Amino acid sequence: MSDEGNKGSNLPALAKQVGDLVLAGSLEHAEEVFSKAADEHGDYAVAQVLQDLPPQVTALHLSGFDGAKTSLATMLVPPKAWADSLAYIAATWPDNMIEDDPERIAENLFNHVHGVVYAQDDEERRNELLAEASATDHGATVFAILWSLAPKDILEVAGEIISKGRYVTAQTSGDSDIVPLAVDLAKASEDGWERSLLELFPEFRHSAEMADIELPDDPDEESEFMQRSTRELLYRLRKQVPSVRSMPRRSSRRSLGTDIFS
């Protein structure tokens, strides 16, 4: 049998081995399997195994890594596989943390998303990851959770995008490290960006007057402009976790329906 044939025949066994290790909590050992597969068969084998793993297993594995930890899975996960895994990410959170420390969960989620999106210096891959991840209901909620950590900056950059289109930069008065991700999402997927905005700001609309809206500095202070809190969005994502018998699908969620970069 050719090397290519051997490689293909080994992949189901590798996927089962990795899946068993992840479910047993042995993420480092799962990474060792990925590393060995990459050495023997190339990066393709790792990407294919990640494509073949159930998305809930990929979510468990990737949730153990962020930008501070190197991971072959983080670097090589196919965009669609990562997007599907995000549907299950909320199932990895301790029940009491959503209520007690929502910002910490959101910050960990930001580290996860940032770690995957910027794991490689590859603009095409980054755009594919962002477009796939934001194309589902759960993906729009994931990004809204991240934006909820810096809502004033996100509203400011949304106004900048309305006025400047694709000439927008990632600079805002607050200079949040979340803003560059928001700008990259808007450039990768106009629809995904708008859906995430509507998740955080259900009353958002394309209008110059949006730039004049002022959000309160205190996140606990009620705003005249409807905004979902980090905690509320975390609960929304938890409710969107599918049963393992169903797979996440793209939906017909409404969008603002305008070409923001025309």
Side-chain angles (χ1 to χ4, degrees):
M1 183 180 291
S2 68
D3 288 343
E4 197 69 32
N6 279 324
K7 178 167 63 177
S9 64
N10 287 337
L11 293 181
L14 284 172
K16 183 180 186 310
Q17 185 181 9
V18 169
D20 290 345
L21 288 168
V22 171
L23 292 174
S26 300
L27 302 188
E28 286 79 9
H29 290 132
E31 280 290 314
E32 288 173 8
V33 173
F34 280 137
S35 181
K36 185 177 180 182
D39 288 342
E40 293 182 358
H41 306 299
D43 291 350
Y44 159 85
V46 177
Q48 189 59 52
V49 168
L50 286 162
Q51 187 70 62
D52 294 342
L53 282 175
Q56 61 269 29
V57 175
T58 301
L60 271 176
H61 183 65
L62 291 178
S63 66
F65 299 92
D66 58 33
K69 300 178 184 175
T70 55
S71 161
L72 272 176
T74 295
M75 294 182 66
L76 299 172
V77 63
K80 180 68 165 60
W82 181 53
D84 288 345
S85 77
L86 287 174
Y88 296 88
I89 198 82
T92 68
W93 302 334
D95 291 338
N96 62 329
M97 274 192 70
I98 295 180
E99 189 62 35
D100 298 341
D101 202 354
E103 286 76 20
R104 182 179 172 191
I105 291 180
E107 287 165 1
N108 288 339
L109 184 60
F110 172 75
N111 289 336
H112 165 75
V113 171
H114 192 278
V116 172
V117 171
Y118 298 103
Q120 296 191 43
D121 186 17
D122 182 338
E123 183 178 358
E124 183 177 351
R125 172 175 167 80
R126 183 178 72 223
N127 288 339
E128 288 177 6
L129 285 163
L130 290 168
E132 285 285 356
S134 62
T136 57
D137 285 357
H138 62 262
T141 305
V142 164
F143 285 106
I145 289 168
L146 308 188
W147 308 157
S148 74
L149 291 170
K152 296 184 75 170
D153 290 310
I154 292 299
L155 198 56
E156 183 179 338
V157 82
E160 289 284 298
I161 288 173
I162 291 172
S163 62
K164 296 180 181 177
R166 65 175 57 258
Y167 298 105
V168 69
T169 66
Q171 298 300 314
T172 64
S173 57
D175 205 25
S176 166
D177 57 357
I178 292 171
V179 169
L181 178 65
V183 171
D184 281 343
L185 172 61
K187 290 180 177 179
S189 172
E190 297 171 22
D191 183 63
W193 163 242
E194 291 170 348
R195 284 155 57 107
S196 70
L197 278 179
L198 286 167
E199 269 291 280
L200 179 59
F201 303 119
E203 298 173 354
F204 188 87
R205 60 197 178 280
H206 276 301
S207 169
E209 68 193 49
M210 295 301 293
D212 298 327
I213 291 173
E214 292 190 12
L215 298 177
D217 291 321
D218 184 350
D220 294 325
E221 184 181 336
E222 190 168 339
S223 171
E224 294 180 8
F225 182 56
M226 184 178 178
Q227 173 197 332
R228 292 191 174 109
S229 68
T230 302
R231 182 182 289 108
E232 183 181 356
L233 288 164
L234 292 173
Y235 279 125
R236 279 173 71 84
L237 188 61
R238 174 62 72 87
K239 290 177 181 177
Q240 291 170 336
V241 174
S243 78
V244 294
R245 293 184 297 276
S246 64
M247 292 296 290
R249 297 177 179 176
R250 294 175 188 272
S251 79
S252 55
R253 177 196 288 257
R254 69 193 179 97
S255 119
L256 300 179
T258 53
D259 186 358
I260 59 177
F261 289 132
S262 59

